[in-house]
Amino acid sequence: MSKRDYYEILEVSKNANAEEIKKAYRKKAIQYHPDKNQGDKAAEEKFKEAAEAYEVLSNAEKRQRYDQFGHAGVGGAAGGGFGGGMSMDDIFSHFGDIFGGGFGGFSGFGGFGGSSRGGRRVNKGSNLRVKVKLNLEEIANGAEKKIKVKKYVQCNSCSGTGAADSSSYSNCSTCHGSGQVTRISNTILGQMQTSSTCPTCGGDGKIITNKCTSCAGEGIVRDDEVISLNIPAGVEEGMQLSVSGKGNAARRGGVNGDLLVLIEEEKHPELMRDGNNLIYNLNISIPDAILGTPVEIPTVEGKVKVKIEPGTQPGKILRLRGKGLPEVNSYGRGDLLVQIQVFIPKNISKEDRKAVEKMQTSESFHPSNGTGESFFSRMKNMFE
Ligand SMILES: [Zn+2]
Ligand SMILES: [Zn+2]
């Protein structure tokens, strides 16, 4: 299933500014919020879709990559299995920025402000960066790569809680278990009550008295993880794909960071890349240029047979349509350009020398006796 355009999802124009995008997302988030659409799967999908669109478009770097490369540029390649979307926790962890501050929280909707997520500070794991080297064949076809990364993963002994067992907690003495601290201040409008996340327990309402020994109470440990990456066809050196949630695990059951995959390209021994086109330099002999010959050309799908026509001029370019590289996240495909060069030997045998001397005096080898082509028709022939 292909993904919808992020701008379309939020119903904003391509050049919408940050404020317009935020506003549009806020509208969608309210419209499709799970608390308002209980049990409605379609609304939940729309809610997630909008969050994903916002996640990309609200980040200048991601938005630029999306504008340039589409979903593939931000880890959402169509059919690529990349990314895997955002979890509800990811989505709610953003709400502080969207609805916080002057917006007045969620008091407008029943149940929202009181949800268990409200006010709890969510730890976010850091992003991981890896490089993946691909050869031209892999770039042409897309590739599944398994990579081993050393990263923070959830501690198995405590399931990421950081506590030795379920009795290892006591109520937080700062907030008395509420997770919130309330401050009352006097203003000209009367008493104002502001509440914020408890700094001692981070909003949990309890603190760990007996820490898990495997992770020293962090809830995470270093370990190797094998991650399978689906790299879409057509990627390019320097492109960065992001796999959401595959970065470092966060302390004490927070939200995982992302895995950022930097693409590196291995040089092909024979084919040169120019955007989506490939270039191959073909060296033929003088007799082959004059008499024509069948040749084999390497492509990313193996060798193909091509006929060199009699009378082929040096510098002529043969275009093998569709034998280049696919466009990333699209249907187009580049061409393979075969640049023909004619090999001129420096050292020749006595016998050959005689033959060439004969050519030298022969009328048919004289340039003025050529086809009489104009410069422009010659140029045109080069690209036929
Ligand atoms: Zn542990
Ligand atoms: Zn507390």
Side-chain angles (χ1 to χ4, degrees):
M1 200 185 85
S2 67
K3 288 199 179 196
R4 280 173 70 203
D5 181 71
Y6 287 150
Y7 293 99
E8 210 177 289
I9 291 167
L10 295 184
E11 291 180 63
V12 291
S13 76
K14 295 255 184 227
N15 39 35
N17 64 31
E19 200 44 49
E20 286 165 339
I21 287 169
K22 194 170 184 172
K23 238 172 107 180
Y25 173 52
R26 205 141 73 181
K27 216 173 107 192
K28 295 283 169 197
I30 291 169
Q31 187 181 351
Y32 296 117
H33 193 278
D35 287 0
K36 272 182 75 191
N37 301 275
Q38 287 197 3
D40 184 346
K41 275 275 156 211
E44 190 184 317
E45 278 315 305
K46 287 217 148 79
F47 183 68
K48 285 183 173 169
E49 193 182 51
E52 190 186 311
Y54 178 72
E55 209 243 342
V56 169
L57 299 186
S58 63
N59 176 311
E61 193 198 329
K62 283 187 184 171
R63 183 178 179 183
Q64 196 198 348
R65 280 207 309 273
Y66 176 72
D67 287 346
Q68 202 172 353
F69 305 117
H71 290 107
V74 291
F82 227 103
M86 299 168 78
S87 73
M88 279 299 194
D89 278 342
D90 283 340
I91 297 172
F92 287 113
S93 73
H94 283 155
F95 273 16
D97 317 337
I98 311 301
F99 295 99
F103 191 66
F106 279 111
S107 47
F109 320 58
F112 213 8
S115 88
S116 60
R117 300 156 193 126
R120 189 178 180 279
R121 191 195 298 143
V122 179
N123 293 321
K124 168 107 178 146
S126 58
N127 291 342
L128 265 179
R129 285 183 173 73
V130 292
K131 288 178 183 172
V132 167
K133 200 162 201 164
L134 300 172
N135 63 36
L136 213 47
E137 283 79 7
E138 290 171 321
I139 289 169
N141 300 309
E144 192 186 318
K145 285 267 174 184
K146 285 202 177 1
I147 54 162
K148 197 161 125 181
V149 289
K150 224 180 177 46
K151 59 182 256 193
Y152 283 108
V153 296
Q154 194 180 70
C155 171
N156 272 334
S157 313
C158 63
S159 306
T161 59
D165 56 59
S166 57
S167 63
S168 313
Y169 295 98
S170 71
N171 259 6
C172 171
S173 57
T174 309
C175 62
H176 308 291
S178 70
Q180 302 275 312
V181 284
T182 308
R183 202 163 52 99
I184 296 173
S185 50
N186 292 305
T187 72
I188 48 165
L189 299 171
Q191 277 197 340
M192 292 270 289
Q193 186 177 322
T194 49
S195 51
S196 54
T197 303
C198 170
T200 309
C201 63
D204 287 332
K206 48 196 179 175
I207 50 172
I208 297 168
T209 48
N210 194 6
K211 288 176 179 174
C212 165
T213 49
S214 308
C215 61
E218 294 295 297
I220 49 174
V221 289
R222 289 295 269 180
D223 202 1
D224 290 333
E225 186 179 316
V226 176
I227 298 172
S228 160
L229 304 170
N230 272 312
I231 316 246
V235 294
E236 212 171 322
E237 170 93 23
M239 229 181 214
Q240 189 175 268
L241 306 168
S242 90
V243 194
S244 117
K246 287 291 180 188
N248 281 313
R251 296 177 62 231
R252 292 184 198 159
V255 179
N256 287 356
D258 298 335
L259 177 68
L260 307 175
V261 182
L262 184 71
I263 302 294
E264 285 186 305
E265 232 177 273
E266 223 167 80
K267 268 213 180 334
H268 191 278
E270 296 175 292
L271 298 170
M272 229 160 52
R273 183 173 186 174
D274 178 24
N276 291 326
N277 289 338
L278 293 172
I279 298 168
Y280 176 66
N281 282 317
L282 175 69
N283 229 346
I284 58 174
S285 71
I286 298 173
D288 282 349
I290 297 168
L291 302 173
T293 183
V295 289
E296 281 196 329
I297 307 291
T299 75
V300 286
E301 295 153 331
K303 298 209 181 275
V304 295
K305 285 201 166 70
V306 171
K307 202 171 162 244
I308 301 298
E309 293 296 327
T312 288
Q313 304 296 317
K316 177 169 174 136
I317 293 168
L318 293 175
R319 186 180 285 268
L320 307 185
R321 285 200 192 277
K323 293 286 183 200
L325 297 173
E327 198 120 356
V328 73
N329 206 33
S330 173
Y331 298 104
R333 211 177 165 103
D335 303 329
L336 173 57
L337 306 175
V338 181
Q339 290 184 342
I340 298 174
Q341 272 146 44
V342 177
F343 173 65
I344 312 286
K346 278 189 174 149
N347 303 305
I348 52 174
S349 68
K350 251 189 188 146
E351 211 173 311
D352 288 342
R353 192 177 173 85
K354 270 190 195 135
V356 176
E357 278 167 356
K358 202 171 163 209
M359 281 156 59
Q360 198 173 30
T361 53
S362 158
E363 264 302 296
S364 46
F365 279 92
H366 209 266
S368 65
N369 192 41
T371 54
E373 287 173 312
S374 72
F375 173 74
F376 291 107
S377 71
R378 246 193 353 258
M379 283 302 285
K380 190 178 150 279
N381 287 341
M382 275 166 74
F383 288 99
E384 76 190 359

